[in-house]
Amino acid sequence: MGVSGSNPLVGLLGPVTVVVDGRPEPITSGRARTLLVTLALAHPHPVGSARLIEAVWPERAPQNPAGALQTQVSRLRRILGPDSIAGSAAGYRLTTDSPASDLAAAEEFLRTDAADDAAGATLLRSWWRGEPGTDLPAGDIRDELIERSDRAAHALRERDWHGRLAREPGRVAAEIAELRSAASLDEHLAALHMRALLQAGDPNAALAVHAELAAGLANALGTDPGPEVAAAHSAALAYSPLPHTPAPPADAYVTGTAALEELTAALAASAVVTVTGPGGIGKTRLVTEYIAAQQPTNVFVDLSAARQADDTLAAVAVALGRGAVPDRSVSLRPQPHTAGAAVAQLAPPDTVVVLDTCEHLPGAVADIIAEIRSRRSDIRVIATSRTPLDLAGEHLVAVGPLPGPAAADLLTRRARRVRGDVRLDPALVTELCTRLDGSPLALELAAAQLRYLSLADIVGRLDARFGLLAVPGEGRHHALADVVAASWDLLDDRGRRVLAVLALFPGDVRIHDALTFDRVTVEGLAQVCDHSLATVIEGDDGLTRYRLTETVRDFTRTRTGRDEDALDGEFVCWAVDLLESLGAGLLAGEVVGVVARLDESSDALLAALHAAADGHGPQGSVARLLPVITWRVIRTGGYPDAERFALAAIDDATGSECCVGIACATAYLILLIQPRAAARARARLRRLAAGATLPPVIALIVHLLTASPSDFTRIVTRAARSRDPMVVAVAEIIRSDSAEFLAVPTLSRRAALRALVAAERTRHPWLVTTGRHRLGRGHALLGDHAGAAVHLGRAAADYAALGLAEDACQVRVHQALAVLRSDPDLAGELLDSCLREAGDSGRAYVATAHMARAQLRAAADPSGARRTADTAIAVIGPPHDGHSAYLHGVRAAILFVTGADTEARIAAEGLRVALGWLAMMPTPNLPALGAAAAAIGMVTGLDADDPLLAAARGARYRRDFPVVDIGPGPASHRTALLSLLH
């Protein structure tokens, strides 16, 4: 019997009760019951003693009325509580602050909006426990109770009718008719009955109700119906059926409640709301879901077939359920002659007018809305359009693509409808949803193709999406190409030029980059955004960027074939200018900005490299763009087309500006073990650099690449004595790396220290960090793990500050190896953080991190250590260089110390075969190969003075992993290992 958790004191909606300990209890005394009802009906006001005595003893007052009344009050106080009834000179009253009765609570509840809610109405009806007043004597108190409870019941019934009227007007009309059979002259009921019949689409029946009522009132009372009935009669005379907004499909795909809440809030803030978004994104669907949820009176005007402003009047006539809107010249009654005037004159009060598909008639639609608003302030307008209407006070609600899970759910449901047994691989579903940009229409068209194709076939054919994503029929939503073409056709030449430029880029485009192209203006950029063909993205740096969906990008490229060569040439020139400016910035120490820009623009630069290789742009562009591959290799570990572009750059290069690119080509071909091609690249680089003025560091690298291998040490030594500290830093870093590979750790650490000192003089952040990284590695090679951990920890932090997350991860792995013995907990934390950030990357340092994890688990969890070591090998692959061979050796050692002797021997024998050809590589990593040889010796049980173990000691085998330890013994010359392995 509660309202929002509170309990009324007295129950009047049925037999009279009181609440005792949360339970209703009946009042057995008739006089006490009458007294309680009188006080409850009057609450919160007091009731005088005289009125109470008259109500309790209506036939004859007792001999001592005041005493008898006090006795009844005392009885009630014993039931309700000593402080429940207060007495004063004015009389007695119930002292509760909340509603004193369920009737009062119901009346209060009916004055709130909560009673309109279905749950609230259900709660309210549950309070009626029977017929009120049946246990009271006849009299004024009983009559008042019955009158008030009837009034509350009628109000509740009307709330119920109002809530159901839109869904089931016929049933509501039948219920009202049944009530009117006992109250045929009740004008309020008659007016409600007429409006329900109109809602049910039966104006003739409404007119019949009016005629019957008017005749009854005239015969019985000699009067006419009042204003309420007269208004309903006028509505019946002017009735015309109003088609409602189309209902959304049962499996609506609007993205949760957020979009509906945004539209609801927009309509509360503004009388004109434009829902914008690209074609097929779900603008109309959002509006229909709003109408279905809110159920306002609405008029839906479909403007998709209107081709000019004059066609809008016919569209409005259809929406208003009329064959035509008469011209005022053919009717004595003034009639609207414009679409806006027609809506304003004929729409019911508080109507929501939906103007659907307005982008091709923005001026005409703006005039319609302006005229509606000038005539009717109660009408709200929702327009759907790919472009804003630029109206004063217009509130924009943008509909975006479906997020990943919602897009996958829509595709799955549509696919199951088409073919119940269709196989939907989650990875392919995700790829399809991503490549179709989360567009609901595109996903539905793709699902329709599953009748004939597998999901894999559809994904494989998306390069020809416009021929694929179409279904038979006519209309704007039967083919994806038609949807995009409708927006393309609305652009002028300026907008199409801008869109063609944006489509060159595979990702977001900075405004400054777009404006460098010929005939691209801010106004043109605004036009493509207004037509929902591009989206504005504002980054954390505050710069404006523009984003195209893959569908719009592909469509634009198909429409700009004639201008493609010229556009690609501009694109290549833009990329060359950008990359060379970034190179200059990198030399100047602007590392953070350069790294961020390369990460953002490397895809576009690679696309320009492809265009240059296809013959677009000036000669030499391939070579000048080739350095971007270096960045991609640094970031991802490789690039599959590196060899192809390196060979193309050799033939394309002309002028000293190509030197950096040909230097990159030479390095790629050397690493790819292509000696003949590398020789060609070296010869071309030598010719280009002859007489050229290059930055000293670039000149050093070119000199190293073009000189004979025997001159390598001489060149580096001379560079280390340069007056240019940047040249010194680079030379000493090269010397440190070479000394490490040649198993001369003392020289490696000394060179790293000199590199760090020189780098600090240059204040170049990347050189300083790299020098510190090399110094940490030098300490580790000499067994100074504490010193190594300090330098490596600082280098990792500095790399992260420069935006070089991969490098920071790699150095953290080295730091973890340095503290494996002294602080295994810290090592575990460092390794875990690295593996979390790296994810599924196949980089070598990820394999090293897994192997270090295996080392940490070897003692406490042997089987877990073996599994983790196997994971590391799965990442690194077969032995292909010194480091990978080293990890294979560590795995064999872990298998050995954890009791898997047979597996360990098999692994060691396979590794020994691989070391034979790895020793013949041009620049073998002696400490790594030595560690692999040491692991083989451990596993196969070689004696401490065995030549293989002596050679491993001579090569200063790496001791990052404690599990690989062959102890003291004789050591050979550092190069003896290579001879032995041969």
PDB file of all heavy atoms in Angstrom, residues 247-253 285 288-289 414 417 444:
ATOM      1  N   ALA A 247       6.947   2.352 -38.986  1.00  0.00           N
ATOM      2  CA  ALA A 247       7.498   1.689 -37.810  1.00  0.00           C
ATOM      3  C   ALA A 247       8.864   1.098 -38.151  1.00  0.00           C
ATOM      4  O   ALA A 247       9.073   0.594 -39.245  1.00  0.00           O
ATOM      5  CB  ALA A 247       6.564   0.586 -37.329  1.00  0.00           C
ATOM      6  N   PRO A 248       9.805   1.161 -37.228  1.00  0.00           N
ATOM      7  CA  PRO A 248      11.111   0.552 -37.496  1.00  0.00           C
ATOM      8  C   PRO A 248      11.000  -0.963 -37.492  1.00  0.00           C
ATOM      9  O   PRO A 248      10.105  -1.526 -36.866  1.00  0.00           O
ATOM     10  CB  PRO A 248      11.962   1.042 -36.312  1.00  0.00           C
ATOM     11  CG  PRO A 248      10.983   1.271 -35.214  1.00  0.00           C
ATOM     12  CD  PRO A 248       9.720   1.753 -35.890  1.00  0.00           C
ATOM     13  N   PRO A 249      11.909  -1.647 -38.185  1.00  0.00           N
ATOM     14  CA  PRO A 249      11.914  -3.115 -38.122  1.00  0.00           C
ATOM     15  C   PRO A 249      12.083  -3.605 -36.693  1.00  0.00           C
ATOM     16  O   PRO A 249      12.588  -2.891 -35.831  1.00  0.00           O
ATOM     17  CB  PRO A 249      13.119  -3.500 -38.989  1.00  0.00           C
ATOM     18  CG  PRO A 249      13.313  -2.335 -39.895  1.00  0.00           C
ATOM     19  CD  PRO A 249      12.900  -1.125 -39.104  1.00  0.00           C
ATOM     20  N   ALA A 250      11.641  -4.822 -36.461  1.00  0.00           N
ATOM     21  CA  ALA A 250      11.665  -5.366 -35.102  1.00  0.00           C
ATOM     22  C   ALA A 250      13.085  -5.453 -34.552  1.00  0.00           C
ATOM     23  O   ALA A 250      13.303  -5.301 -33.357  1.00  0.00           O
ATOM     24  CB  ALA A 250      11.011  -6.746 -35.078  1.00  0.00           C
ATOM     25  N   ASP A 251      14.064  -5.697 -35.414  1.00  0.00           N
ATOM     26  CA  ASP A 251      15.449  -5.819 -34.927  1.00  0.00           C
ATOM     27  C   ASP A 251      16.207  -4.537 -35.243  1.00  0.00           C
ATOM     28  O   ASP A 251      17.186  -4.521 -35.952  1.00  0.00           O
ATOM     29  CB  ASP A 251      16.151  -7.029 -35.542  1.00  0.00           C
ATOM     30  CG  ASP A 251      16.207  -6.930 -37.067  1.00  0.00           C
ATOM     31  OD1 ASP A 251      15.434  -6.140 -37.630  1.00  0.00           O
ATOM     32  OD2 ASP A 251      17.026  -7.637 -37.674  1.00  0.00           O
ATOM     33  N   ALA A 252      15.718  -3.441 -34.697  1.00  0.00           N
ATOM     34  CA  ALA A 252      16.304  -2.133 -34.971  1.00  0.00           C
ATOM     35  C   ALA A 252      17.784  -2.124 -34.599  1.00  0.00           C
ATOM     36  O   ALA A 252      18.220  -2.799 -33.693  1.00  0.00           O
ATOM     37  CB  ALA A 252      15.561  -1.061 -34.168  1.00  0.00           C
ATOM     38  N   TYR A 253      18.568  -1.302 -35.334  1.00  0.00           N
ATOM     39  CA  TYR A 253      19.997  -1.330 -35.106  1.00  0.00           C
ATOM     40  C   TYR A 253      20.551   0.009 -34.670  1.00  0.00           C
ATOM     41  O   TYR A 253      21.748   0.261 -34.810  1.00  0.00           O
ATOM     42  CB  TYR A 253      20.739  -1.811 -36.355  1.00  0.00           C
ATOM     43  CG  TYR A 253      20.421  -1.074 -37.642  1.00  0.00           C
ATOM     44  CD1 TYR A 253      20.708   0.263 -37.822  1.00  0.00           C
ATOM     45  CD2 TYR A 253      19.823  -1.745 -38.689  1.00  0.00           C
ATOM     46  CE1 TYR A 253      20.431   0.905 -38.994  1.00  0.00           C
ATOM     47  CE2 TYR A 253      19.542  -1.109 -39.876  1.00  0.00           C
ATOM     48  CZ  TYR A 253      19.850   0.208 -40.034  1.00  0.00           C
ATOM     49  OH  TYR A 253      19.565   0.850 -41.201  1.00  0.00           O
ATOM     50  N   ARG A 285      15.970   5.564 -39.777  1.00  0.00           N
ATOM     51  CA  ARG A 285      15.741   4.535 -38.762  1.00  0.00           C
ATOM     52  C   ARG A 285      15.745   5.141 -37.357  1.00  0.00           C
ATOM     53  O   ARG A 285      14.917   4.792 -36.521  1.00  0.00           O
ATOM     54  CB  ARG A 285      16.822   3.462 -38.882  1.00  0.00           C
ATOM     55  CG  ARG A 285      16.690   2.334 -37.869  1.00  0.00           C
ATOM     56  CD  ARG A 285      15.474   1.457 -38.171  1.00  0.00           C
ATOM     57  NE  ARG A 285      15.603   0.823 -39.453  1.00  0.00           N
ATOM     58  CZ  ARG A 285      16.165  -0.367 -39.636  1.00  0.00           C
ATOM     59  NH1 ARG A 285      16.647  -1.020 -38.617  1.00  0.00           N
ATOM     60  NH2 ARG A 285      16.225  -0.894 -40.836  1.00  0.00           N
ATOM     61  N   THR A 288      12.429   6.963 -36.843  1.00  0.00           N
ATOM     62  CA  THR A 288      11.289   6.058 -36.643  1.00  0.00           C
ATOM     63  C   THR A 288      11.358   5.387 -35.285  1.00  0.00           C
ATOM     64  O   THR A 288      10.316   5.151 -34.650  1.00  0.00           O
ATOM     65  CB  THR A 288      11.247   4.997 -37.750  1.00  0.00           C
ATOM     66  OG1 THR A 288      12.467   4.254 -37.756  1.00  0.00           O
ATOM     67  CG2 THR A 288      11.034   5.627 -39.109  1.00  0.00           C
ATOM     68  N   GLU A 289      12.549   5.107 -34.803  1.00  0.00           N
ATOM     69  CA  GLU A 289      12.644   4.521 -33.462  1.00  0.00           C
ATOM     70  C   GLU A 289      12.259   5.548 -32.398  1.00  0.00           C
ATOM     71  O   GLU A 289      11.640   5.198 -31.388  1.00  0.00           O
ATOM     72  CB  GLU A 289      14.054   3.993 -33.228  1.00  0.00           C
ATOM     73  CG  GLU A 289      14.356   2.750 -34.046  1.00  0.00           C
ATOM     74  CD  GLU A 289      15.507   1.942 -33.475  1.00  0.00           C
ATOM     75  OE1 GLU A 289      16.029   2.319 -32.414  1.00  0.00           O
ATOM     76  OE2 GLU A 289      15.860   0.931 -34.089  1.00  0.00           O
ATOM     77  N   ARG A 414      21.229 -10.474 -39.933  1.00  0.00           N
ATOM     78  CA  ARG A 414      20.785 -10.421 -41.324  1.00  0.00           C
ATOM     79  C   ARG A 414      21.245 -11.673 -42.088  1.00  0.00           C
ATOM     80  O   ARG A 414      20.515 -12.212 -42.923  1.00  0.00           O
ATOM     81  CB  ARG A 414      21.330  -9.169 -42.006  1.00  0.00           C
ATOM     82  CG  ARG A 414      20.758  -7.868 -41.454  1.00  0.00           C
ATOM     83  CD  ARG A 414      19.269  -7.763 -41.791  1.00  0.00           C
ATOM     84  NE  ARG A 414      18.794  -6.419 -41.565  1.00  0.00           N
ATOM     85  CZ  ARG A 414      18.255  -5.982 -40.436  1.00  0.00           C
ATOM     86  NH1 ARG A 414      18.121  -6.824 -39.421  1.00  0.00           N
ATOM     87  NH2 ARG A 414      17.841  -4.737 -40.317  1.00  0.00           N
ATOM     88  N   ARG A 417      19.082 -14.651 -41.393  1.00  0.00           N
ATOM     89  CA  ARG A 417      17.792 -14.575 -42.104  1.00  0.00           C
ATOM     90  C   ARG A 417      17.930 -15.081 -43.535  1.00  0.00           C
ATOM     91  O   ARG A 417      17.042 -15.750 -44.062  1.00  0.00           O
ATOM     92  CB  ARG A 417      17.301 -13.128 -42.138  1.00  0.00           C
ATOM     93  CG  ARG A 417      16.687 -12.635 -40.845  1.00  0.00           C
ATOM     94  CD  ARG A 417      16.129 -11.255 -41.108  1.00  0.00           C
ATOM     95  NE  ARG A 417      15.551 -10.662 -39.926  1.00  0.00           N
ATOM     96  CZ  ARG A 417      14.967  -9.472 -39.928  1.00  0.00           C
ATOM     97  NH1 ARG A 417      14.900  -8.780 -41.062  1.00  0.00           N
ATOM     98  NH2 ARG A 417      14.453  -8.983 -38.835  1.00  0.00           N
ATOM     99  N   GLU A 444      23.837  -4.693 -44.667  1.00  0.00           N
ATOM    100  CA  GLU A 444      22.642  -5.419 -45.106  1.00  0.00           C
ATOM    101  C   GLU A 444      22.787  -5.893 -46.557  1.00  0.00           C
ATOM    102  O   GLU A 444      22.383  -7.013 -46.893  1.00  0.00           O
ATOM    103  CB  GLU A 444      21.410  -4.523 -44.950  1.00  0.00           C
ATOM    104  CG  GLU A 444      21.056  -4.265 -43.500  1.00  0.00           C
ATOM    105  CD  GLU A 444      19.682  -3.640 -43.351  1.00  0.00           C
ATOM    106  OE1 GLU A 444      19.227  -2.988 -44.301  1.00  0.00           O
ATOM    107  OE2 GLU A 444      19.073  -3.810 -42.286  1.00  0.00           O
TER     108      GLU A 444
END
